[in-house]
Amino acid sequence: MNSSPITARAHTNIALIKYWGKKDMDLIIPQNSSLSLTLDHFYTDTTVKFDKTLPRDVFTLNGHLVENPKVNHFMDLVRKLAGIQIFAKIDSINHVPSAAGLASSASAFAALAAAASKAAGLDLSRKDLSRLARRGSGSASRSIYGGFVEWCQGTDDQTSYAVPVEEKLDWPIGMLVGIVNSGQKKISSRVGMQTVVETSPYYQGWIQSTTADLKSIKKAIQERDFQKVGEITESNALKMHALNLSAQPHFNYFEPMSLAIMQEVERIREEEHIPCYYTLDAGPNVKILCLQADASAIQQILASKFGQITFEFAKPGEGVRFIEA
Ligand code: ADP
Ligand code: DP6
Ligand code: CO
């Protein structure tokens, strides 16, 4: 079988309640449930074509041929699911910096799950797409949906998948994303979180408090309590980064500029009385949750203080879909 090329687009998502640790590393079953906002501005387009003349999978990222074991492993899972043994040409374009803590693995594996499964002749439900995307990268399970999304941790392959919390958001919020450094992180999310699970003395405390944060933020979202949503988001991110500081060997993803922006966000909130809250993932880039109406005022203040950094505004985005190549 030679399939026709299938292209899927998936957007990145930024967790307000973080996933930071696995119970099962092969199946990617997380230690806790998480909740994210899908962003329109950052996304991945991936095209897959199965071709019986290929001796192996051929993967290009942004036009360059690269060897990527995670992609090969993922394609093996798709072949198993579809009952085929043909290799594929996979071409992916990231409209997001790769491996910089801006969730490229989330948009990447959500797009690949959709494109590869369809090209392999499967017609998966969104629940099954989420389960499949999860096997590539945990955060990718959430990029199947738009808006606010919860990844319910579950206990096994069948029960660990994301569900939409509010897919078409009628709430004018978004994130200002400050690109402090778009280079590749030194410690991947996968290695970072595993080090924490194995060595942080605070890990049980994290699980307890993040479970409480998830419950509170869902209520705050329902009540449209922006201040509450922001406070929980900021505090949950700082707890995740505190785990990294408490691991052995300890590590962190901050750069001096990340800390300067975090302090400035706190100042804008306290002195300028504009509600805004930061979150950081496994990288130095700072995302600032704010109301759409305040975005340009915050952007101006930040530009005046940190001229060398670009801040891009991202609105809530949609879930994964097929597009014309
Ligand atoms: P990020 O913060 O960008 O999600 P991670 O450490 O979680 O960083 O994941 C980065 C990994 O995701 C890369 O090393 C690569 O294996 C994979 N990845 C990124 N973009 C793509 C893509 N478009 N297609 C397939 N895999 C990708
Ligand atoms: C800090 O999903 O990238 O962004 O499952 O090992 O691929 P793997 O890790 P990944 O981890 C994301 C971690 C985070 C928090 C989050 O997105 O929930
Ligand atoms: Co990632």
Side-chain angles (χ1 to χ4, degrees):
M1 149 202 155
N2 277 355
S3 68
S4 21
I6 301 290
T7 303
R9 174 171 294 175
H11 292 255
T12 60
N13 70 77
I14 298 300
L16 310 188
I17 304 298
K18 307 293 186 192
Y19 145 57
W20 200 236
K22 297 176 178 62
K23 274 191 176 153
D24 184 314
M25 289 171 70
D26 173 41
L27 293 174
I28 311 201
I29 308 299
Q31 291 270 358
N32 61 275
S33 296
S34 53
L35 185 142
S36 59
L37 182 63
T38 301
L39 299 182
D40 67 347
H41 192 77
F42 301 101
Y43 59 92
T44 298
D45 286 342
T46 299
T47 303
V48 177
K49 183 183 190 314
F50 286 93
D51 178 346
K52 62 177 179 328
T53 65
L54 289 176
R56 55 204 295 243
D57 290 324
V58 178
F59 173 63
T60 68
L61 179 57
N62 299 336
H64 303 285
L65 193 63
V66 278
E67 198 42 59
N68 187 324
K70 285 182 188 169
V71 169
N72 295 337
H73 172 67
F74 188 83
M75 293 304 293
D76 287 342
L77 294 173
V78 173
R79 275 186 283 272
K80 200 168 165 199
L81 204 60
I84 58 173
Q85 284 168 342
I86 307 160
F87 292 105
K89 176 89 176 16
I90 303 139
D91 298 301
S92 189
I93 306 283
N94 275 348
H95 297 268
V96 54
S98 305
L102 289 165
S104 70
S105 68
S107 53
F109 283 98
L112 184 60
S117 61
K118 186 166 180 195
L122 295 164
D123 181 20
L124 300 183
S125 64
R126 292 212 291 176
K127 172 178 155 182
D128 287 339
L129 270 182
S130 175
R131 290 176 48 235
L132 176 61
R134 191 198 77 232
R135 301 291 302 272
S137 179
S139 54
S141 65
R142 299 185 306 240
S143 276
I144 300 304
Y145 299 99
F148 285 119
V149 184
E150 179 179 356
W151 173 14
C152 306
Q153 63 181 125
T155 51
D156 56 17
D157 181 45
Q158 294 296 325
T159 54
S160 187
Y161 53 86
V163 295
V165 171
E166 276 195 45
E167 185 145 34
K168 293 218 168 22
L169 264 185
D170 61 353
W171 199 12
I173 60 166
M175 281 186 185
L176 269 169
V177 179
I179 314 279
V180 170
N181 186 343
S182 59
Q184 281 209 8
K185 59 184 93 167
K186 290 191 190 74
I187 302 178
S188 70
S189 301
R190 194 151 295 183
V191 170
M193 68 175 81
Q194 191 55 26
T195 307
V196 159
V197 171
E198 286 168 11
T199 67
S200 171
Y202 302 153
Y203 204 74
Q204 274 321 307
W206 158 258
I207 295 295
Q208 272 164 25
S209 108
T210 213
T211 306
D213 284 350
L214 178 62
K215 202 169 161 200
S216 311
I217 207 167
K218 282 164 74 174
K219 181 163 178 281
I221 288 171
Q222 236 173 27
E223 291 170 354
R224 295 290 190 258
D225 186 340
F226 184 74
Q227 185 181 336
K228 194 77 155 276
V229 170
E231 283 170 2
I232 298 167
T233 297
E234 197 171 281
S235 144
N236 189 266
L238 289 172
K239 283 181 273 193
M240 180 198 116
H241 288 276
L243 290 175
N244 303 341
L245 298 174
S246 70
Q248 275 187 347
H250 61 78
F251 60 100
N252 72 80
Y253 292 106
F254 301 140
E255 288 188 16
M257 191 55 81
S258 321
L259 295 167
I261 296 169
M262 289 154 75
Q263 280 176 3
E264 179 61 15
V265 169
E266 292 181 21
R267 192 201 64 78
I268 293 173
R269 210 157 65 211
E270 276 146 33
E271 292 178 17
E272 320 265 349
H273 308 290
I274 306 175
C276 54
Y277 302 84
Y278 57 79
T279 183
L280 290 90
D281 292 283
N285 304 305
V286 185
K287 298 99 187 183
I288 302 159
L289 184 68
C290 64
L291 300 169
Q292 287 175 15
D294 293 328
S296 62
I298 301 168
Q299 207 163 11
Q300 260 172 32
I301 298 170
L302 292 169
S304 72
K305 306 246 156 128
F306 309 107
Q308 68 278 43
I309 310 268
T310 47
F311 289 90
E312 315 211 37
F313 187 64
K315 292 182 182 171
E318 333 172 24
V320 71
R321 62 210 178 273
F322 297 107
I323 59 166
E324 295 297 320

